[in-house]
């Protein structure tokens, strides 16, 4: 199933929103439905939510996994979601004000001593944590006896279709890019991290699914270009004007690469992630 078609005016809206610093709003608007909602459902399927489960979403972003959990276990269920970004949390609260949104770091979770959770999930956040072992130990401390943790991290760029091809285009302009989004792609390393943190019954599944973006390829190319420029020393050293010019150049060069992925106005390609579950 494809995601709803986004109006062609989105490109100009996107530029205006970026100028206003509204990236979290665009993240929610452009990336959540086609990318993070389907993968969030995969993650929640893996941890097998039961009615009445107490759920904690770590590195929740704008909150899609917490919202999906609430949909599955009911409005009266206990759902807490934590992120270190106030801007992301502001969007999360605007979309669903009834969830318990908290600002905090994954290594020092803002959770009371008397709070425990039956399920803790972390979708596409672990790879960004400066201290992954400390974060997993913090999650282990708040997990109730018999509870489950579910973690999703992207596999390598080579296994993520169009994002890989867009990265190759960007490297022609920026040099080698250490893409943080795919910096923890090793399934064995993920399993070892969980084991070392004290988890048992660790399982890591390598999952691939077809992803659909019903939007102008230039918009996705621009989102990706800005992301990768920000990951490089070259990009960080640029002035705003230089960065804008570089973004335009990368987007222009990316469009022929994206074209083969488009059919009937929809970008379609494989995305792949490691999905870990443990107790």
């Amino acid at each position: 199933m494809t995601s709803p078609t986004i109006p062609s005016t989105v490109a100009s809206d996107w530029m205006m929103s970026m100028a206003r610093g509204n990236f979290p709003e665009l993240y929610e608007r452009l990336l959540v439905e086609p990318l993070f909602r389907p993968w969030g459902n995969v993650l929640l399927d893996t941890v097998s939510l039961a009615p009445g489960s107490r759920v904690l979403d770590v590195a929740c972003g704008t909150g899609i996994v917490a919202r999906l959990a609430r949909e599955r276990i009911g409005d009266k269920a206990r759902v807490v979601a934590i992120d270190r970004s106030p801007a992301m949390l502001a969007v999360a609260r605007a979309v669903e004000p009834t969830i318990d949104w908290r600002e905090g770091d994954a290594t020092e979770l803002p959770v009371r001593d008397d709070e425990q959770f039956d399920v803790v999930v972390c979708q596409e956040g672990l790879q960004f944590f400066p201290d992954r072992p400390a974060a997993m130990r913090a999650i282990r401390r708040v997990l109730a006896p018999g509870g489950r943790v579910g973690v999703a991290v992207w596999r390598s760029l080579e296994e993520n279709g169009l994002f890989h091809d867009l990265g190759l285009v960007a490297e022609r302009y920026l040099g080698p890019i250490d893409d943080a989004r795919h910096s923890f792609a090793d399934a064995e390393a993920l399993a070892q991290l969980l084991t070392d943190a004290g988890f048992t019954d660790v399982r890591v599944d390598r999952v691939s699914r077809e992803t659909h973006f019903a939007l102008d390829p230039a918009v996705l190319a621009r989102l990706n270009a800005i992301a990768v420029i920000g990951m490089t020393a070259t990009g960080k050293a640029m002035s705003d004007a230089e960065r804008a010019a570089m973004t335009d150049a990368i987007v222009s060069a990316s469009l022929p690469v994206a074209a083969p992925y488009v059919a009937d106005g929809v970008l379609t390609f494989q995305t792949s992630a490691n999905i870990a579950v443990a107790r």
Side-chain angles (χ1 to χ4, degrees):
M1 179 180 294
T2 60
S3 57
T5 300
I6 297 174
S8 60
T9 55
V10 73
S12 59
D13 291 348
W14 189 91
M15 291 298 293
M16 292 175 64
S17 293
M18 283 304 297
R20 294 193 299 267
N22 290 343
F23 178 77
E25 294 178 9
L26 290 162
Y27 175 98
E28 173 67 29
R29 178 182 176 190
L30 301 181
L31 298 179
V32 164
E33 284 298 319
L35 188 61
F36 293 113
R37 176 184 286 273
W39 276 108
N41 278 317
V42 172
L43 178 59
L44 292 177
D45 287 344
T46 304
V47 296
S48 303
L49 285 184
S53 295
R54 297 164 295 177
V55 178
L56 174 64
D57 181 9
V58 178
C60 66
T62 58
I64 184 56
V65 178
R67 299 198 305 265
L68 290 171
R70 169 65 64 79
E71 290 173 8
R72 291 182 179 220
I73 57 181
D75 291 343
K76 295 183 180 179
R78 179 72 168 146
V79 179
V80 176
I82 295 169
D83 200 274
R84 66 182 302 173
S85 168
M88 285 288 196
L89 291 172
V91 174
R93 291 187 181 101
V95 175
E96 177 49 78
T98 65
I99 287 174
D100 185 351
W101 307 104
R102 302 181 189 179
E103 183 179 343
D105 189 271
T107 60
E108 298 181 7
L109 295 170
V111 172
R112 299 189 308 272
D113 291 342
D114 62 345
E115 287 183 294
Q116 287 191 313
F117 298 89
D118 304 299
V119 174
V120 181
V121 290
C122 180
Q123 174 171 253
E124 303 307 339
L126 178 63
Q127 61 266 49
F128 298 103
F129 296 165
D131 191 339
R132 295 167 187 158
M136 295 314 303
R137 290 193 298 268
I139 287 172
R140 184 73 186 87
R141 285 195 295 271
V142 303
L143 196 66
R148 299 174 303 287
V149 62
V151 178
V153 290
W154 296 125
R155 287 184 60 79
S156 68
L157 267 172
E158 289 77 10
E159 297 176 74
N160 279 275
L162 178 57
F163 288 124
H164 170 254
D165 295 350
L166 293 178
L168 292 179
V169 172
E171 285 190 338
R172 300 206 306 256
Y173 293 83
L174 298 165
I177 299 168
D178 183 11
D179 194 326
R181 297 169 297 183
H182 300 268
S183 63
F184 197 49
D186 187 330
E188 286 72 26
L190 175 58
Q192 190 62 54
L193 177 70
L194 292 169
T195 300
D196 290 346
F199 292 97
T200 61
D201 300 327
V202 178
R203 187 184 86 238
V204 180
D205 297 326
R206 300 163 176 83
V207 183
S208 295
R209 67 178 310 279
E210 199 169 73
T211 293
H212 307 276
F213 280 88
L215 51 78
D216 185 338
V219 176
L220 185 59
R222 188 167 294 275
L223 280 168
N224 196 71
I226 286 181
V228 296
I229 288 171
M231 295 176 194
T232 64
T234 300
K236 292 174 182 176
M238 291 177 180
S239 67
D240 289 346
E242 290 170 333
R243 195 173 296 110
M246 178 63 72
T247 301
D248 289 342
I250 293 173
V251 170
S252 180
S254 296
L255 294 182
V257 171
Y261 292 95
V262 180
D264 298 324
V266 177
L267 282 157
T268 301
F269 55 96
Q270 290 289 312
T271 52
S272 299
N274 291 318
I275 309 290
V277 63
R279 294 186 180 276

